[in-house]
Amino acid sequence: MSSPDAGEFGVSPFKIRWVMSRAFTKESVDDLAAGELPERPLPVHPNYVTPHGLEQLQARARELQALHETLAAQSADDSIAKQKLREVERDQRYFKAQLERAEVVDPVGQPRDEVHFGATVKMLDADGKEHRFMLVGDDQADVAAGRISWASPLAKAMIGAKVGDTVKWHRPAGDAEVEIIEIRYPKRA
């Protein structure tokens, strides 16, 4: 027989001990600072960069080094600076690896009549709307600024295409076709 304070299932609600996963608990800043940050993933494909993209990678590495020096001086007494220092160190490892993997491709040397790395491509979508994108390296990509990674699905669909070609863009929302209406490359790097 169950105790007088037992619930519907014969178990006293006062004797149940719940164990909560750490995933559902709030950790302090010090707890987070003591933990390891996940590394920034490196793409598995080659790290093609334009000459300008290489300059940007080098500039970012210099900025991170300067920030590292500042935070290192502050981190002994400041747990927030210590956490930020770990983030900067992680980013430094990422940009160092990207610089070591960088393969500079000068768009000036690309064939002018086909879409390749470094090309600025104007295209028409199925609704007749014009879009313009430059094919760049991963770290230079910024869709809002009209720069897409050469390894993106849209860029892969366009590589090798010529003006007048229609290419099929495989995307999560469903396949779409775009027509290439202009290909431009810089006159010099």
Side-chain angles (χ1 to χ4, degrees), residues 154-165:
L154 176 57
K156 284 183 176 183
M158 292 189 298
I159 290 177
K162 297 180 178 201
V163 172
D165 287 353

Side-chain angles (χ1 to χ4, degrees), residues 40-71:
R40 289 181 64 175
L42 291 170
V44 294
H45 52 265
N47 186 27
Y48 296 137
V49 296
T50 63
H52 181 65
L54 180 62
E55 291 171 7
Q56 288 178 319
L57 282 174
Q58 292 166 335
R60 183 66 179 137
R62 287 189 301 272
E63 289 170 7
L64 288 168
Q65 182 58 38
L67 187 55
H68 184 275
E69 291 169 9
T70 301
L71 290 170

Side-chain angles (χ1 to χ4, degrees), residues 14 101 122:
F14 303 107
R101 299 175 59 241
K122 188 191 299 185

Side-chain angles (χ1 to χ4, degrees), residues 6 12 27 75 186:
S12 170
E27 297 175 337
S75 66

Side-chain angles (χ1 to χ4, degrees), residues 164-185:
D165 287 353
T166 298
V167 298
K168 187 177 282 193
W169 172 19
H170 301 288
R171 53 191 194 145
D175 293 349
E177 290 188 348
V178 294
E179 180 186 352
I180 309 300
I181 60 173
E182 182 181 88
I183 303 169
R184 290 186 335 189
Y185 288 92

Side-chain angles (χ1 to χ4, degrees), residues 44-185:
V44 294
H45 52 265
N47 186 27
Y48 296 137
V49 296
T50 63
H52 181 65
L54 180 62
E55 291 171 7
Q56 288 178 319
L57 282 174
Q58 292 166 335
R60 183 66 179 137
R62 287 189 301 272
E63 289 170 7
L64 288 168
Q65 182 58 38
L67 187 55
H68 184 275
E69 291 169 9
T70 301
L71 290 170
Q74 299 171 353
S75 66
D77 300 325
D78 184 349
S79 62
I80 294 173
K82 191 179 292 186
Q83 176 64 21
K84 184 67 177 164
L85 181 62
R86 283 189 176 89
E87 292 172 15
V88 167
E89 288 171 343
R90 177 196 58 192
D91 289 349
Q92 283 181 302
R93 288 188 297 274
Y94 171 82
F95 282 100
K96 180 179 187 258
Q98 284 295 77
L99 279 165
E100 289 171 354
R101 299 175 59 241
E103 296 180 40
V104 178
V105 178
D106 191 347
V108 172
Q110 298 286 38
R112 299 296 199 218
D113 63 335
E114 291 182 355
V115 177
H116 291 283
F117 183 85
T120 298
V121 182
K122 188 191 299 185
M123 61 188 153
L124 286 176
D125 65 17
D127 297 327
K129 185 175 178 188
E130 284 187 11
H131 303 273
R132 185 183 311 259
F133 293 107
M134 181 178 188
L135 280 59
V136 296
D138 293 325
D139 295 311
Q140 236 182 317
D142 179 353
V143 174
R147 296 186 308 266
I148 61 172
S149 169
W150 70 273
S152 69
L154 176 57
K156 284 183 176 183
M158 292 189 298
I159 290 177
K162 297 180 178 201
V163 172
D165 287 353
T166 298
V167 298
K168 187 177 282 193
W169 172 19
H170 301 288
R171 53 191 194 145
D175 293 349
E177 290 188 348
V178 294
E179 180 186 352
I180 309 300
I181 60 173
E182 182 181 88
I183 303 169
R184 290 186 335 189
Y185 288 92

